[in-house]
Every structure is written in C-alpha cells, then in structure tokens.
Amino acid sequence: MSQPRINPSILAADFVNMQSELARIAAADFVHVDVMDNHFVPNLTFGPQMVERIQQTSPVPLDVHLMIDDPDRWAPGYAELGAASVTFHLEAAREPLALARRLREIGARAGVAIKPGTPAEALYDLLGEVDQFLVMTVEPGFGGQSFMPETMPKLRALAAEARRRGTEVWLQVDGGISLSTIGQAAEAGADTFVAGSAVFGAEDPERAITALRDAAATHRH
Ligand code: DX5
Ligand code: ZN
C-alpha cells in the first residue's frame, strides 16, 4: 500500500482567511472541500465560485466532497473548474455510474460517498468505475462530531470486495478522525483520511498532518 493520505477539511478553517489557512496545510496530500447545500444536509457552506478560488490558491490538489442534492447536475462543474477529485453521495445521485464516468471523462478522480446508514454492498457494482469510496464515519453536515466505530465493518467489506475483484480503489474516511481514531480506520482498510478539527485545531497543522500520517502507517492493514 502507498503512504496514507491526509486530507485536511477546510470546514474547520477560518473562512475569512482562507488563503493563509491553505498555506498552513501545504504538507497535506489534498485539501478536503466540503460543499453543503442545506438540503442534502442541514448546513450550508459554499458553491463553485468559492471552490474555484480555492483551486487557484491551494498549494495542494482539491478533494471536493459534495453533500448536495442533484449531484448529477452539479458535480461535473467542480471537475471542470479543475478539482483533482470529486466525490458525490450515492444517496443523492440518480445515475451514479453515468456520473462517475462523466467525472473521469472530464479528468477528475471520481468518488462516491455513503452515509453511516447506507450498506457497503450498495457500492460494489461501482468497483472498477470509480477511484475512491468515502465511508462517512459521522452523519454528514458538521465538523467536530464523534467517530462512529460501527462503520468500520463497511471498510473491511469494501477492501475485501476490491481485493476479490482485483480492482484498485482508495478508501476514504471522514468525520471524527484524530490521533485516537485513525488507527482503527487504517486497520480496517482506509488509506485516505479526512481530518478537520484534528488539523486546523492544532497549534502546528503541519506537525498534526505528519503525526496522523505516521499513526495511520503503523496501523495499516
Ligand atoms: C462532515 C464533513 C467533514 C468534516 C470533518 O460532514 O464532511 O469533512 O469537516 O470534520 P472533523 O474532522 O472535525 O470531524
Ligand atoms: Zn467531508
């Protein structure tokens, strides 16, 4: 397995000082950008205009997480503005396979996310057609929530199914990831870790990123 990837979530950053906040996480693999529409989740962040400026400003590639209704309509625009990775929710998509193909065609990595209540098997038929699965480890909508260990069997199932089919897919976790929880997620098969408060809440975000990466590497499965 390659080095674990650490993707800080700017949901925990100071929105008014985005440029300097982005400069603090230059050691990260990607910057995780949470787009929320107040419909799919009960919270609102920003849309394509803001994400485009982040794309122009960020020292690292963008990992966009769309917590929005109708991703079939909106997700391609994020790939077109240059985001390296675009992840939409399975629960919100009308035609997930067609949408994943479209994102790849535009040149982005395609990701599909599931909420804690959605079973892993719902993703199996997308193996080979997507670059990343995101297993939410909290209910999407807010930063700073507690990690849900009961989601770990889904990572194990996805890792096993990908192995069985001989397909490569990144397994991402998002929500409540910290030094005390990242080990269990890595052990269950995750290789890509989103961390909001654990990185932006730290005095030295760069050191926090390195510590998280090291902790994941010692527990990788
Ligand atoms: C939650 C978002 C997460 C959030 C994670 O709905 O998708 O990306 O920012 O924040 P922490 O790491 O603080 O749980
Ligand atoms: Zn997220």
Side-chain angles (χ1 to χ4, degrees):
M1 197 181 94
S2 54
Q3 260 227 88
R5 286 167 286 269
I6 306 296
N7 302 0
S9 165
I10 50 159
L11 192 60
D14 177 357
F15 280 21
V16 173
N17 294 297
M18 198 51 85
Q19 190 161 10
S20 55
E21 292 286 76
L22 288 167
R24 295 169 80 207
I25 55 155
D29 295 276
F30 290 79
V31 55
H32 184 81
V33 178
D34 286 308
V35 175
M36 306 186 188
D37 67 351
N38 231 354
H39 289 268
F40 182 71
V41 288
N43 195 6
L44 181 66
T45 54
F46 38 68
Q49 195 180 348
M50 179 68 174
V51 178
E52 185 157 29
R53 283 298 290 143
I54 295 169
Q55 166 72 25
Q56 291 160 356
T57 310
S58 174
V60 294
L62 267 57
D63 169 40
V64 174
H65 176 195
L66 298 174
M67 285 161 277
I68 62 170
D69 280 343
D70 204 2
D72 305 72
R73 175 172 176 192
W74 301 109
Y78 291 90
E80 276 155 11
L81 65 80
S85 173
V86 178
T87 297
F88 60 87
H89 269 267
L90 183 69
E91 301 88 354
R94 265 175 295 121
E95 296 187 63
L97 179 57
L99 181 53
R101 287 181 175 161
R102 177 89 191 101
L103 292 172
R104 281 179 151 188
E105 203 176 277
I106 298 168
R109 295 179 60 86
V112 183
I114 51 171
K115 300 204 280 186
T118 304
E121 298 76 50
L123 293 173
Y124 287 179
D125 284 348
L126 290 167
L127 275 164
E129 300 276 357
V130 300
D131 301 289
Q132 163 171 297
F133 287 141
L134 165 52
V135 172
M136 288 302 299
T137 43
V138 298
E139 284 299 337
F142 300 91
Q145 305 183 78
S146 301
F147 176 80
M148 297 168 66
E150 60 271 34
T151 58
M152 294 297 97
K154 295 201 284 186
L155 283 173
R156 293 181 205 281
L158 288 168
E161 187 64 17
R163 243 191 336 267
R164 200 178 69 76
R165 299 193 190 198
T167 337
E168 219 232 313
V169 67
W170 290 3
L171 296 180
Q172 184 176 63
V173 284
D174 181 9
I177 298 297
S178 69
L179 276 181
S180 49
T181 57
I182 197 167
Q184 348 174 11
E187 207 265 324
D191 52 24
T192 307
F193 305 85
V194 177
S197 11
V199 170
F200 282 102
E203 215 165 287
D204 184 344
E206 194 164 328
R207 273 180 58 184
I209 290 165
T210 307
L212 286 166
R213 202 182 274 126
D214 291 348
T218 37
H219 287 91
R220 79 179 79 180
H221 87 146

